[in-house]
Amino acid sequence: MSTSTQTIPQPIVQIAPDSSTNPLGLIPGLLLLAAVGYGGKFIEQFIARYGKVHHLVLPNIEYVLWAILIGLAISNTVGVPAIFRRGVATYEFWLKTGIVLLGARFILGDIAKLGGISLALVFIEIALALTFMTYLGRGFKLSPKLVTLLAVGSSVCGVSAIIATQGAIEADEEDSSYAIAAILALGAVSLFIFPLVGHALHLSDHAYGVWTGLAVDNTAETAAAGALYSDAAGKIAVLTKTCRNALIGFVVLGYAIYWASKGQAAKVENKAAFLWSKFPKFVLGFLLISLLATVGFFSKPQLLAVGNLSRWAFLLTFAGVGLRTSFRDLSKQGLRPFLVGAIGEVVIALLTLGLVYGADHAFHL
């Protein structure tokens, strides 16, 4: 008796393309960013034309604020549908691209003109913010690692610093979300408050840019708050903030070693590799483009084109800031972390304003 093996046909399983990796899935969100950003530009130009035609003196509100307001209106009313979210989330990529391309508008001599006093203020701000936020968080009896996240986010680089630190010190996701919510909420407020304070105190473009670069945590909000004051202030704000960003690896490394010494985080075996992994690479791109501009690699038309590309990248960034800010979501994160963040941000803003104001009058920044 012979036996035979019958092959049972297997059903054909069709695997649907992963929507999370399909680049076509970015298109709806990118179109929304472009529409919101251009909408802000259109409103600014329409108001300017209307005032000119009718001989009216109307407030010159920059497209930056209009784009953010349109985004905020969408995200906090109808919300951003899921089909748009992946593309909208690319606003951080456009931010970094804009900063890299912005290097074409700085020759290395301009970067040097930021001045030793301004660079010293960067280190002073980080030291003051880390110290104050640590003691403030302990006073409010927040969990120790949440205190660390708030301190790093407020002193160095906002959300990016919080995310980098969370993994390094093995903090809870909940602590990270609390810290991010506090930083995002206060960053949105700074867009409206900082330009008003700057104009009230008659700060120069340089002084205002340095203050904004020191006191506003997220790079996107820094760029926006600076641009709302003037183009020159926006450049200085981004440059100052980029100097803060460059120090993120050292701050995160310090906290990683601290928590590892307490047995509450993995030991850092290779400090150089750790620093490189945390270092914001777009800073190197900014310096490279600036170096090429300094040695005359670009012609004048090319410099103009690169500068325009930078502005378009920031246009998408500012649209994304509004679209990604949901006040409903931020309000769910609890009161104490927000209070610590709010008190800390106000105090840091006032301290850095005093430092910049005094340095400007003493040394003419």
Side-chain angles (χ1 to χ4, degrees):
M1 181 176 177
S2 62
T3 60
S4 62
T5 303
Q6 183 178 5
T7 302
I8 301 174
Q10 298 294 321
I12 298 174
V13 179
Q14 292 185 342
I15 301 176
D18 185 357
S19 60
S20 65
T21 58
N22 184 359
L24 294 178
L26 299 173
I27 293 176
L30 292 174
L31 291 176
L32 180 60
L33 287 178
V36 171
Y38 188 78
K41 193 71 175 174
F42 174 81
I43 293 174
E44 178 196 26
Q45 294 174 344
F46 175 81
I47 292 175
R49 286 195 300 267
Y50 185 88
K52 186 176 181 180
V53 169
H54 294 85
H55 307 288
L56 298 173
V57 179
L58 299 175
N60 180 26
I61 301 176
E62 293 275 351
Y63 75 93
V64 175
L65 183 56
W66 288 120
I68 292 171
L69 289 174
I70 294 171
L72 285 172
I74 293 173
S75 63
N76 290 281
T77 53
V78 296
V80 179
I83 191 173
F84 296 104
R85 291 173 192 163
R86 279 190 62 216
V88 169
T90 64
Y91 84 101
E92 291 189 356
F93 167 80
W94 299 114
L95 168 67
K96 294 172 183 176
T97 301
I99 291 174
V100 170
L101 296 175
L102 188 65
R105 300 171 65 189
F106 286 96
I107 62 173
L108 293 180
D110 291 331
I111 297 176
K113 288 177 185 175
L114 182 62
I117 299 298
S118 299
L119 290 175
L121 291 177
V122 170
F123 289 94
I124 293 171
E125 181 276 335
I126 290 176
L128 286 175
L130 286 174
T131 303
F132 181 78
M133 291 299 291
T134 298
Y135 282 103
L136 183 65
R138 290 174 180 173
F140 273 77
K141 302 188 185 310
L142 298 182
S143 66
K145 289 191 176 180
L146 175 55
V147 172
T148 294
L149 294 176
L150 284 169
V152 174
S154 299
S155 63
V156 188
C157 188
V159 173
S160 298
I162 292 170
I163 293 171
T165 306
Q166 178 199 349
I169 69 172
E170 300 178 11
D172 294 337
E173 290 279 350
E174 185 178 5
D175 284 346
S176 178
S177 67
Y178 283 156
I180 288 172
I183 295 298
L184 286 176
L186 296 161
V189 173
S190 69
L191 296 173
F192 303 95
I193 301 300
F194 273 60
L196 294 176
V197 173
H199 285 300
L201 295 177
H202 305 290
L203 294 179
S204 66
D205 290 335
H206 191 109
Y208 176 84
V210 171
W211 176 46
T212 304
L214 292 175
V216 180
D217 296 324
N218 277 330
T219 307
E221 281 85 349
T222 301
L228 283 169
Y229 200 75
S230 71
D231 182 62
K235 289 171 60 178
I236 295 297
V238 170
L239 182 56
T240 305
K241 185 64 172 66
T242 300
C243 292
R244 282 175 68 195
N245 293 345
L247 298 173
I248 182 174
F250 297 96
V251 175
V252 176
L253 174 62
Y255 276 107
I257 294 172
Y258 170 78
W259 284 106
S261 70
K262 289 181 167 291
Q264 297 184 42
K267 185 178 179 181
V268 179
E269 299 293 344
N270 188 327
K271 295 180 177 60
F274 183 92
L275 283 172
W276 174 249
S277 70
K278 300 301 180 184
F279 186 83
K281 309 303 187 295
F282 67 88
V283 174
L284 299 179
F286 172 88
L287 292 173
L288 174 62
I289 296 295
S290 179
L291 175 62
L292 292 175
T294 301
V295 300
F297 180 83
F298 300 111
S299 64
K300 287 187 177 180
Q302 287 173 332
L303 283 174
L304 181 63
V306 172
N308 286 333
L309 286 174
S310 175
R311 292 185 182 94
W312 276 104
F314 282 130
L315 190 72
L316 299 179
T317 298
F318 301 144
V321 169
L323 289 168
R324 294 275 286 177
T325 302
S326 169
F327 295 122
R328 289 189 296 270
D329 291 342
L330 295 178
S331 65
K332 298 175 183 177
Q333 301 297 337
L335 184 61
R336 281 195 304 161
F338 180 79
L339 278 176
V340 170
I343 295 170
E345 291 296 315
V346 170
V347 171
I348 292 167
L350 291 174
L351 287 174
T352 51
L353 177 60
L355 289 170
V356 170
Y357 193 81
D360 190 35
H361 281 70
F363 304 104
H364 304 289
L365 294 177

